[in-house]
Amino acid sequence: MNLRNMIMENPLLKDIQSEKEIIWINPDKTDFQAACKCAELTMKDVEDAEARLLRFAPFIMKCFPETNDRNGIIESVLTPIPKMQKLINEKYESGLTGRLLLKQDSHLAIAGSVKARGGIYEVLKHTEELALEHGLLTMEDNYEKLASEEARAFFKQYTIQVGSTGNLGMSIGIMSAAIGYDVVVHMSADAKQWKKDLLRSHGVTVVEYESDYSEAVKNGRRLSDGNPMSYFVDDENSRNLFLGYAVAAKRLVGQLEELQVKVDKEHPMFVYIPCGVGGAPGGISFGLKQVFQDAVHCFFVEPTQAPCMVVGMATGLNSEVSVQDIGLTGLTHADGLAVGRPSGFVGSIMKPHLSGEFTIRDAKLYDYMRDLLESEGIFLEPSACAAFQGPVKLMRSTETQAYLKKNNLTDCVESAVHIAWATGGSLVPLEVREEYKKIHLR
Ligand SMILES: *Cc1c(COP(=O)(O)O)cnc(C)c1O
C-alpha cells in the first residue's frame, strides 16, 4: 500500500499530517516473554556495555574530576517532584495519581544531556578496540593508563566524526577531545550557537550545514568513509549508542529502592522519554524492559512537526519514511528532536516493547519548562520538557484510558510511579535560559 492510501485510511496519520497532538497506542506490543523470542539484542549485551563502562571508570575520573563523587560512573539522580505533580494536576487537570519522579539526565556529567550515556559509551568502545588491537592495553589493566601522554599521542593519529543537531556532538566531541582524537562534528542548521562555541573551546572542529540533520549525517559519513583513520558515529544505526543508553536501566534499580519505590505487577512504572532519531529513548526503554519486564510501560514523546518514530512505527515503514514525506517540516524548537527520519533499527526492536507515543506542540515545551522551574526550581532545556506530555495526558485521554483498561492497570494506577526522563539542560548558558523563559508560542 502506498503512503497516500495509508494516510487516507488511517485517521491517526491524518491527524499527524495536520500537525495535531496525537496519542498512539502501539498495537504490536506483546508481553515481555514473547517479545524476547525474536530479539536481536539481549540482557547479555547490556551487561557487556555496563562492564565496559566500569573498566573505563578510573580513566573517566582522571580526565573528568567532576565524576569523582561517583567514582567515574556517569549517572544522574532520580528526584521526586511532588510540587510539579500538584501543579499539573491543578493547572491541566491531569488527575495523575501515584508518584511523579524526574530522571535528571539533564544533569549528567560531561555532556549535560542523555547523550552522555550513548555518545560517550560509543567513543569508549571504539577506544578500547583500538587500544587492545595496538597493544596499548589489556583488559586487566587499570584504564587510567589511557590518560597518559603516550596514549594521547597514539589517539591523535585517529579521527572521530559525527553528525549532530547539538547534544550528540557535545558528548562525542568533549569525550573524544579528552582522549586525544581529532574530532569533527557535522552540525545541522538548527544547532544552537552556544553548542558550537562550547565544542570549539574544546578543540573540536565544527562543520556547519545550511540543511537539516540528515544532510549533516550524510556528508559526515561520506568524509569519514574516505579516511581510513576515521571512525564515524552513526546515530541512525548504531547498536553501540543504543546499548550505552540501555545501561541506565540497571542503575535505576538501586535508585528506586532508595526512594522506597516498588515496581511490580501491582505497582506499575510508566516512563516518558523525548524521542529524536530513537536511540536514546529506544535504548533506555529496551534496558528497562529487560529489567522490569511487564511492570514497566514505556512511552516516547515527539514534537508535532518531527514525529518521525511514530510515523515509522505506525506505518510499519520505519526508516523508509520521513516526516517530510507526509508534508511536515521537521522543524521544531526542540533541540535534539528535530529529526525527520527515524533510526533504521530502533523501530523494529521496539515494536513488541513500546507502549505508545505522545506528540507535543512546541508552545507547550516552554510552558512545561516554566512550570517545572516555578514548582521545583529545576531547569530543563525545552526539548527535555516534552517528557511531561505523558504525565499530563495519561489519566485524561481516551486512548491511554483504553490502554490502562486493556492492561488491567485501572485499579493499580493509584500505586504507580511515573518517570519523566529529563534528557538535557544543565549546560544551557544563563543568558539562553533567560531568553527561553520569555518565549511564548501559540
Ligand atoms: C538526543 C536527544 C533526545 C533523543 O535522543 P534520540 O536518540 O535522538 O532519540 C532527547 N532529548 C534531548 C535533549 C536530546 O539531546
Side-chain angles (χ1 to χ4, degrees), residues 4 17 34 98 118 155 166 180-181 185-186 201 205 229 261-262 271 359 381 388 410 421 437:
R4 253 185 66 208
Q17 191 175 40
F155 291 115
Y181 293 107
V185 176
H186 301 266
S201 78
T205 305
M229 300 297 270
V261 172
K262 250 209 239 163
V271 182
T359 63
E381 59 183 294
F388 291 113
T410 319
W421 209 283
K437 284 190 217 165

Side-chain angles (χ1 to χ4, degrees), residues 113-115 167 235 245 274-281 335-337 381 383-384 423-424:
S113 82
V114 69
K115 305 293 194 309
N167 286 342
D235 195 19
Y245 291 120
C275 176
V277 74
D335 247 30
L337 311 188
E381 59 183 294
S383 49
T423 44

Side-chain angles (χ1 to χ4, degrees), residues 3 308 311-312 315 317-323 325-326 340-342:
L3 192 58
C308 63
V311 170
T315 57
L317 294 172
N318 291 325
S319 60
E320 301 297 310
V321 65
S322 76
V323 301
D325 292 341
I326 69 165
R341 191 181 292 279

Side-chain angles (χ1 to χ4, degrees), residues 123-247:
V123 172
L124 296 178
K125 176 146 199 285
H126 177 63
T127 299
E128 185 181 58
E129 277 164 10
L130 279 179
L132 290 173
E133 186 188 330
H134 291 86
L136 239 65
L137 186 76
T138 69
M139 299 246 295
E140 289 70 40
D141 282 341
N142 181 334
Y143 280 28
E144 199 183 301
K145 82 192 260 199
L146 294 177
S148 68
E149 278 310 311
E150 302 90 277
R152 280 189 68 81
F154 169 79
F155 291 115
K156 184 77 198 144
Q157 312 166 75
Y158 295 90
T159 304
I160 306 268
Q161 309 201 44
V162 63
S164 172
T165 61
N167 286 342
L168 183 66
M170 290 209 293
S171 90
I172 304 269
I174 294 172
M175 182 45 89
S176 303
I179 294 169
Y181 293 107
D182 250 346
V183 205
V184 185
V185 176
H186 301 266
M187 286 260 193
S188 52
D190 55 309
K192 297 280 185 295
Q193 189 58 42
W194 69 266
K195 295 187 178 177
K196 298 177 197 166
D197 296 342
L198 186 100
L199 276 174
R200 290 189 172 120
S201 78
H202 282 262
V204 172
T205 305
V206 177
V207 183
E208 300 177 54
Y209 293 81
E210 305 261 319
S211 50
D212 75 351
Y213 173 73
S214 310
E215 260 321 288
V217 170
K218 205 158 92 190
N219 204 49
R221 185 185 288 126
R222 190 178 56 77
L223 288 172
S224 187
D225 288 350
N227 174 0
M229 300 297 270
S230 177
Y231 178 80
F232 186 71
V233 178
D234 183 354
D235 195 19
E236 290 172 327
N237 292 294
S238 171
R239 269 65 172 171
N240 292 330
L241 278 171
F242 188 86
L243 290 170
Y245 291 120
V247 171

Side-chain angles (χ1 to χ4, degrees), residues 12-24:
L12 178 101
L13 288 174
K14 253 198 214 142
D15 284 348
I16 292 176
Q17 191 175 40
S18 42
E19 301 166 44
K20 287 199 184 120
E21 285 187 345
I22 56 101
I23 297 175
W24 173 70

